[in-house]
Amino acid sequence: MLIGVVAIQGAVSEHIDMLKRLEVEAIPVKTKEDINSVDGLILPGGESTTIGRLLHLYNIDTVIKKRAMEGMPIFGTCAGMILLSKHINSYDQPTLGLIDATIVRNAFGRQIDSMEVDLTIKGFDSPFHAIFIRAPVVKEVGEGVEVLSEIPQGIVFIRQGNVLASSFHPELGTDLRIHKYFLDMVKKFLKK
Ligand code: GLN
C-alpha cells in the first residue's frame, strides 16, 4: 500500500510521519505520474486558495478527480476539506467538488486562530482530541454524505463514499485513529 500526500503547500511532512508511525509507505506527490502511482491520497491543510490554484496550474486537479471517480480513497484535512467540497460560502474559488458539502471558511472567527476540542466521533469508543487552526466548518451536506462528527459551530468530519474530510488536523496530535480509519478505506479499495 502506498499513500501520497499532495505536496504543494501546508502540513505535508506531518501526515507522512503519522503514516510512517502506522508502518505504511507514504510519499509527497505533485505530478500526474505520482498521483497515478498511489493507492490513497491525502490533501493536507494549508491555504486552500493557494493549493487550489497550484493544483490547477500543475494540471493535477483533473487526475485527482479521475482517480477519485475510480474509487481511490482521498482524505482532506482543513484546507484539504475545503478543496474537496462542492460549495464554499462567500468565496469564489475553484474546488475539486468531490463531496457534496457547503463549507464556511475560517468559521471560528479571526480572533480565535486555533482551538482544541475533545470530539465525539461516530464509531470511535472514546473522544478524539482535535486541533483546529483557522478551520472551516460544514454548514450543509447533501444526501449520501455521512456526518461523523459535529460541534455547536458546525459539522467537522464527513465522509461520502471514498472521500473523507475533516476540519481539524489529526496529523498534529498523537492519536492515530483517524489515519487508521482512512487506511481501512484504502485496504477495502485494494481488495476490490
Ligand atoms: N484558513 C485556511 C483556508 O481557508 C485553512 C487553514 C488550514 O488548513 N489550517 O484555506
Side-chain angles (χ1 to χ4, degrees):
M1 188 200 291
L2 179 64
I3 306 295
V5 181
V6 175
I8 287 181
Q9 189 249 339
V12 179
S13 59
E14 291 84 350
H15 276 292
I16 291 181
D17 290 348
M18 205 80 178
L19 293 163
K20 289 204 168 134
R21 283 170 58 198
L22 286 161
E23 289 169 12
V24 169
E25 208 184 325
I27 53 165
V29 294
K30 57 174 146 203
T31 66
K32 273 188 196 173
E33 292 71 30
D34 290 345
I35 289 166
N36 276 321
S37 75
V38 297
D39 306 307
L41 191 68
I42 293 183
L43 259 173
E47 179 52 47
S48 60
T49 46
T50 308
I51 301 175
R53 212 175 296 135
L54 293 171
L55 285 179
H56 189 65
L57 195 70
Y58 296 162
N59 231 331
I60 51 177
D61 48 353
T62 44
V63 70
I64 295 175
K65 277 195 231 174
K66 180 181 137 283
R67 300 257 10 236
M69 303 293 186
E70 292 166 357
M72 180 182 72
I74 303 196
F75 177 27
T77 55
C78 205
M81 176 193 241
I82 297 169
L83 288 165
L84 289 175
S85 296
K86 275 204 174 130
H87 313 284
I88 303 171
N89 258 10
S90 64
Y91 286 92
D92 186 22
Q93 68 186 94
T95 67
L96 298 165
L98 292 171
I99 197 161
D100 191 2
T102 303
I103 293 279
V104 178
R105 283 180 64 193
N106 302 317
F108 299 92
R110 289 182 193 282
Q111 276 73 33
I112 306 166
D113 237 23
S114 64
M115 64 172 208
E116 302 189 14
V117 181
D118 286 322
L119 291 180
T120 301
I121 295 181
K122 205 170 161 184
F124 285 24
D125 51 18
S126 61
F128 185 92
H129 188 74
I131 299 170
F132 293 80
I133 304 170
R134 291 184 295 283
V137 293
V138 176
K139 280 297 174 205
E140 253 180 77
V141 291
E143 243 176 77
V145 178
E146 191 182 2
V147 173
L148 296 170
S149 187
E150 188 168 5
I151 56 176
Q153 291 89 338
I155 297 164
V156 294
F157 192 29
I158 51 176
R159 173 175 178 180
Q160 183 169 19
N162 57 319
V163 185
L164 184 71
S166 71
S167 303
F168 51 94
H169 286 268
E171 77 285 5
L172 296 182
T174 52
D175 194 332
L176 301 166
R177 285 180 292 168
I178 302 259
H179 284 79
K180 235 181 183 162
Y181 180 99
F182 177 63
L183 293 176
D184 283 342
M185 288 168 59
V186 180
K187 276 182 205 151
K188 283 196 188 119
F189 167 64
L190 289 174
K191 268 196 203 138
K192 275 186 188 159

